[in-house]
Amino acid sequence: MSDSEEEESPDRQLKLVVLGDGTAGKTSLAMRFAQETFGKQYKQTIGLDFYLKRIILPGNLNVTLQVWDVGGQTIGGKMLDKYIYGAQGILLVYDITNCQSFENLEDWYNVVKKVTEESEMQPLVALVGNKIDLEHMRTVKVDKHQRFCQENNFSSHFVSAKTGDSVFLCFQRIAAEILGIKLNKAEMEQSQVSFGNSDLQQRSRTGIWGCIKTAWGAALFLGIGKR
Ligand SMILES: Nc1nc2c(ncn2[C@@H]2O[C@H](COP(=O)(O)OP(=O)(O)OP(=O)(O)O)[C@@H](O)[C@H]2O)c(=O)[nH]1
């Protein structure tokens, strides 16, 4: 092993769980982040899907993000608690053009609270307004979003999975917040405009199959993926 390999710090792994109503854009967000792709066609997620992506945070810290994309229909189901368990970060995703998807986040958050109330480590919760490319069709006022964040101490994000706007920045900020790393303005601005810039990130186009390697095999029993 070379000196430089020995000096490399080991990867940190973070489990991020993406929750919210069906069609809010959770899969699109995860795919935009992990694979830099977007599909216009809606395919409902049955159960859950996994994505993996390795990013580099300031200080040369390698962080592998396990993104658990949970189907919107799992609310009220038996498996949801198990998906949420052990998450370091929760993304509550809604569609800014769909009020109901915002209102229903209360129910999703109640499940999160129930699952995590006895954990020593509370997950970071991020409120993510998606589809900002449809700003002209917005029905959820920014004020409402901000109020929900303030009342519950959520981290606040607006993204477009379609255009990629602020998607990398969203995941980067969440990872940094969980790990207690401060991003400076320049770092944040750079990742906002340069999604896909390999100076800032390393890709792991692993998707679901890469996760088998990471011994999540058990989770794969649970009924997976897009139909
Ligand atoms: N205009 C626009 N459309 C989007 C965006 N994100 C997702 N969509 C579309 O919204 C629809 C639903 O997206 P999905 O990512 O499948 O939604 P989901 O939240 O994973 O839905 P479930 O699998 O039912 O939980 C698809 O037709 C996407 O193409 C976005 O940022 N902008």
Side-chain angles (χ1 to χ4, degrees):
M1 192 185 283
S2 72
D3 284 353
S4 62
E5 275 172 321
E6 271 172 352
E7 281 163 19
E8 257 188 32
S9 62
D11 273 20
R12 295 291 304 265
Q13 292 240 2
L14 297 178
K15 172 180 173 180
L16 304 181
V17 178
V18 188
L19 302 176
D21 276 9
T23 78
K26 300 176 298 297
T27 301
S28 305
L29 181 65
M31 286 184 69
R32 170 59 77 187
F33 173 61
Q35 300 172 352
E36 294 176 34
T37 56
F38 176 77
K40 279 193 193 145
Q41 196 87 33
Y42 171 54
K43 286 191 215 132
Q44 191 182 56
T45 304
I46 308 299
L48 81 157
D49 245 331
F50 299 102
Y51 299 85
L52 274 187
K53 186 168 174 104
R54 189 159 169 257
I55 64 170
I56 303 172
L57 289 178
N60 224 12
L61 186 66
N62 294 310
V63 185
T64 300
L65 302 184
Q66 306 172 352
V67 181
W68 293 50
D69 166 29
V70 175
Q73 309 309 317
T74 54
I75 190 128
K78 281 188 203 148
M79 299 311 297
L80 183 56
D81 292 13
K82 294 182 174 51
Y83 300 157
I84 293 169
Y85 184 80
Q88 281 111 335
I90 304 282
L91 282 74
L92 295 178
V93 180
Y94 71 96
D95 169 354
I96 64 156
T97 72
N98 176 347
C99 280
Q100 200 59 51
S101 72
F102 178 77
E103 303 297 337
N104 289 345
L105 287 182
E106 198 80 55
D107 296 336
W108 287 98
Y109 185 46
N110 283 336
V111 182
V112 173
K113 283 193 284 192
K114 197 187 82 199
V115 173
T116 58
E117 67 190 351
E118 283 176 11
S119 336
E120 265 175 40
M121 288 290 291
Q122 288 301 308
L124 176 122
V125 181
L127 181 62
V128 184
N130 184 35
K131 309 197 186 180
I132 57 169
D133 56 291
L134 301 177
E135 185 60 42
H136 56 290
M137 291 164 67
R138 177 191 279 277
T139 55
V140 182
K141 290 209 172 99
V142 173
D143 280 7
K144 266 191 153 184
H145 171 112
Q146 304 295 20
R147 211 173 320 127
F148 195 28
C149 286
Q150 279 155 13
E151 283 166 6
N152 296 287
N153 207 18
F154 296 156
S155 134
S156 167
H157 306 260
F158 289 105
V159 299
S160 168
K162 182 174 181 181
T163 64
D165 190 356
S166 301
V167 170
F168 183 74
L169 177 64
C170 167
F171 283 92
Q172 185 196 37
R173 277 181 50 209
I174 290 168
E177 268 185 66
I178 293 170
L179 295 169
I181 293 167
K182 272 220 171 311
L183 298 174
N184 63 36
K185 213 172 160 213
E187 281 154 356
M188 289 203 268
E189 277 168 5
Q190 199 179 353
S191 36
Q192 187 164 20
V193 294
S194 62
F195 183 80
N197 180 341
S198 55
D199 289 347
L200 276 170
Q201 56 179 313
Q202 284 182 10
R203 273 176 234 166
S204 165
R205 294 177 182 272
T206 42
I208 191 166
W209 300 114
C211 301
I212 294 170
K213 289 187 211 144
T214 66
W216 300 352
L220 295 173
F221 267 103
L222 303 175
I224 300 164
K226 295 283 189 188
R227 249 202 275 254

